[in-house]
Amino acid sequence: MINKPCNVVLYCRVSTEEQTSIKAQFASLRRYCEAMGHTIVGVYHDKQSAKSIDRPGFNELIRKLEDPDVDAVVITHIDRLTRSLRDWTSLVDEFFSKDVGLICPVMNIDTRTPAGRGVLNIIMCFAQMQRESISENTKRALDWRRDRGLITGNTPYGLMRASVNSNKLIVQPTENLCLNYMQTRRSEGASFGAIARELNDLGYRNRKSNPFTHNGIASTIKSANRRNRLVDQDYDVDAFKKQSPQSRYDRKSISTMISTISRTVDDQGLHE
């Protein structure tokens, strides 16, 4: 190991799921630098996943490496930078091209030595394997829930939970009417943008009470098609328009439409 004091920058990262705080990581790194006599010339951090290296703090760190006074970057663990072997290869090239070392005190790694660079590459292979294993396990768990009719992720548009903690989905009347309108108009050749404008003009809003958008309509229709959510046979576009929030027409017939939709869903057993 190279024990000569040098100028270093500190980098820390935590994801939203992790408990170890940024302050705890910095405290550990500062103690190390004080013990080794290193001078800290920069401090950077991020609070997000290492899946991507496009992170604000990390980007600032890379720009800091242009400073000729920076000799090394100190981190608590190598996966603070990235868990991707592909990204790691580009990072190593970036560091080496600027003659900047990478120091990880906990793992006793210093890439300013040949041995340190070799050990680091081996460890990154295992970090990549761990990330892929976690991803595969998550996918398997979601598939298991779907196969058993359990809800995964957000409740599909047009449906809602039967109760707060229920895994059973039932029709959400207003959303389902809007969904039928989207699918019907799309089958007639209307663009996603046109459908969004029509729904907004009729006074309808999306689940977050915001105006419908081109991308939102496209995503909703595609999601419904994947779930085989088809337009109800008795659906009437003209009746839907008359019952819109902007309409002055009598609203009594909407209950009949909702009842028809509910019966159709019950008959088809549309559960998540």
Side-chain angles (χ1 to χ4, degrees), residues 205-270:
R205 294 295 181 265
N206 63 22
R207 182 171 285 177
K208 295 183 178 179
S209 300
N210 296 322
F212 285 100
T213 63
H214 172 282
N215 291 337
I217 296 294
S219 176
T220 299
I221 292 178
K222 290 177 182 178
S223 177
N225 290 342
R226 286 197 299 269
R227 295 174 177 275
N228 295 320
R229 293 291 309 282
L230 304 178
V231 178
D232 299 308
Q233 294 181 354
D234 297 331
Y235 180 73
D236 188 333
V237 171
D238 292 331
F240 172 78
K241 291 182 178 180
K242 292 178 181 179
Q243 305 308 325
S244 70
Q246 298 289 68
S247 173
R248 297 181 180 179
Y249 288 82
D250 182 14
R251 294 175 176 270
K252 290 183 180 179
S253 62
I254 195 168
S255 61
T256 302
M257 297 173 66
I258 294 174
S259 298
T260 300
I261 294 171
S262 298
R263 287 196 301 272
T264 302
V265 171
D266 290 337
D267 292 341
Q268 295 179 356
L270 288 178

Side-chain angles (χ1 to χ4, degrees), residues 23-181:
K23 290 183 179 179
Q25 290 186 42
F26 276 136
S28 174
L29 295 181
R30 289 183 188 279
R31 287 194 297 269
Y32 166 79
C33 291
E34 290 175 2
M36 301 301 297
H38 297 322
T39 301
I40 301 174
V41 295
V43 175
Y44 306 96
H45 74 276
D46 286 302
K47 291 185 178 181
Q48 62 187 86
S49 170
K51 290 182 179 179
S52 170
I53 58 176
D54 185 15
R55 307 187 296 270
F58 184 78
N59 290 334
E60 291 183 22
L61 169 66
I62 294 300
R63 288 192 289 270
K64 180 64 175 178
L65 298 185
E66 300 292 342
D67 187 341
D69 292 333
V70 177
D71 298 313
V73 176
V74 185
I75 54 178
T76 57
H77 197 280
I78 58 173
D79 65 5
R80 298 304 88 189
L81 293 180
T82 180
R83 286 193 173 101
S84 168
L85 188 59
R86 181 180 59 183
D87 289 339
W88 179 251
T89 301
S90 64
L91 286 179
V92 169
D93 292 339
E94 183 83 19
F95 277 61
F96 288 175
S97 66
K98 295 178 172 55
D99 196 25
V100 174
L102 183 63
I103 302 173
C104 181
V106 175
M107 306 181 75
N108 200 32
I109 291 175
D110 189 336
T111 62
R112 294 176 297 172
T113 68
R117 290 191 291 272
V119 171
L120 189 58
N121 285 327
I122 293 173
I123 293 176
M124 280 309 303
C125 288
F126 282 98
Q128 170 79 0
M129 183 176 65
Q130 180 189 34
R131 186 174 71 87
E132 293 179 354
S133 177
I134 292 174
S135 177
E136 181 63 28
N137 290 339
T138 301
K139 180 179 181 300
R140 189 179 299 114
L142 292 175
D143 290 341
W144 183 90
R145 290 182 61 85
R146 293 191 188 97
D147 292 342
R148 286 156 180 78
L150 302 177
I151 298 174
T152 59
N154 296 326
T155 304
Y157 188 82
L159 300 174
M160 63 182 182
R161 294 175 185 264
S163 61
V164 176
N165 297 319
S166 174
N167 280 312
K168 179 181 180 182
L169 295 177
I170 60 176
V171 166
Q172 206 290 342
T174 302
E175 288 186 357
N176 200 65
L177 289 172
C178 289
L179 177 58
N180 281 319
Y181 182 83

